[in-house]
Amino acid sequence: LEFRRVLFRSLTTSERPYRRQALNLLDVKAGETLLEIGCGTGQTLLELAPEVGVEGLLVGLDLSAGMLAQAQSKLLKNPCTNVAMLRGSGLGLPLAAESCDALFLSFTLELLDLHDQHQLLVEARRVLKENGRLALVTLSTHEQTAVSDVYWSLHELFPAAIDCRPIDPAPLLSAAGFSVTHQEHHSMFGLPLAILLAEINRKDAKMI
């Protein structure tokens, strides 16, 4: 148990600069509404609270009651009137259509199988406003490395413990009705990683 805690803290610290880079690209403005799917302990939302201001709204969604309990604990220590936490699934977002200006996913999409990845992105498109945008951070298949080969082997042996599966995110976004406006590649512990910014595909939107 202690090993898993140390590993979790290490990964969270290592992921932070990539999350921040994606948030910089998302460029949330004062008064906007942002949804984070897979918000975990809510650290990202607390960091964004000053950026959206009192007229904005930050919504965190997570399936894990334990993660949300930690997030609520953080909110009690750092009260924010513009942050709300919800327990639920990204496959059926409990939000109205076109209710969000921005949507953030970080190391979440690769936890799902292919069908559910598509369903989540379709739901993301539904709740985004016409001019909304989505930022995504994910382990990527864009490059094969010695570390990624080892990772895949470990995933096959211990799928419950090593549950993230690197993906090719651009085609997934396109299939769900998004256009990728920015994409960059990085490496974390030798694992390929991608950061993408996307918007609703205007051509597809006119066809619906």
Side-chain angles (χ1 to χ4, degrees), residues 7 9 23 27 30 35 41 51 71-72 81 83 91 126 128 137 143-144 148 153 160 170 203:
L7 180 61
R9 285 196 295 268
L23 290 171
D27 191 24
L35 168 66
T41 63
E51 297 181 30
Q72 293 291 357
T81 59
V83 176
L91 306 183
R126 178 184 69 81
L128 276 176
V137 187
E143 181 182 6
Q144 184 176 358
S148 64
S153 297
K203 183 177 180 180

Side-chain angles (χ1 to χ4, degrees), residues 56 66 87 92 127 161 164 183 196:
R87 187 180 182 190
V127 302
C164 289
Q183 181 171 350
L196 296 91

Side-chain angles (χ1 to χ4, degrees), residues 8 22 30 48 82 126 184 190 194:
F8 176 77
L48 288 176
N82 57 357
R126 178 184 69 81
E184 55 189 64

Side-chain angles (χ1 to χ4, degrees), residues 17-63:
Y18 305 110
R19 295 178 193 268
R20 188 65 253 180
Q21 175 63 13
L23 290 171
N24 289 342
L25 292 170
L26 199 55
D27 191 24
V28 182
K29 301 286 197 306
E32 290 191 323
T33 296
L34 173 140
L35 168 66
E36 181 180 9
I37 300 176
C39 64
T41 63
Q43 185 60 42
T44 297
L45 300 179
L46 288 173
E47 292 174 5
L48 288 176
E51 297 181 30
V52 302
V54 294
E55 294 182 358
L57 177 62
L58 300 167
V59 180
L61 182 83
D62 206 288
L63 267 178

Side-chain angles (χ1 to χ4, degrees), residues 5-7 15 37 62 76 104 106 110 118 127 147-148:
R5 286 174 179 168
V6 171
L7 180 61
E15 293 169 358
I37 300 176
D62 206 288
L76 289 175
F104 183 56
S106 178
E110 62 267 52
H118 177 73
V127 302
V147 175
S148 64

Side-chain angles (χ1 to χ4, degrees), residues 87-114:
R87 187 180 182 190
S89 169
L91 306 183
L93 295 172
L95 297 172
E98 299 184 26
S99 57
C100 298
D101 300 285
L103 199 147
F104 183 56
L105 286 125
S106 178
F107 300 100
T108 299
L109 196 61
E110 62 267 52
L111 292 169
L112 308 175
D113 62 30
L114 186 60

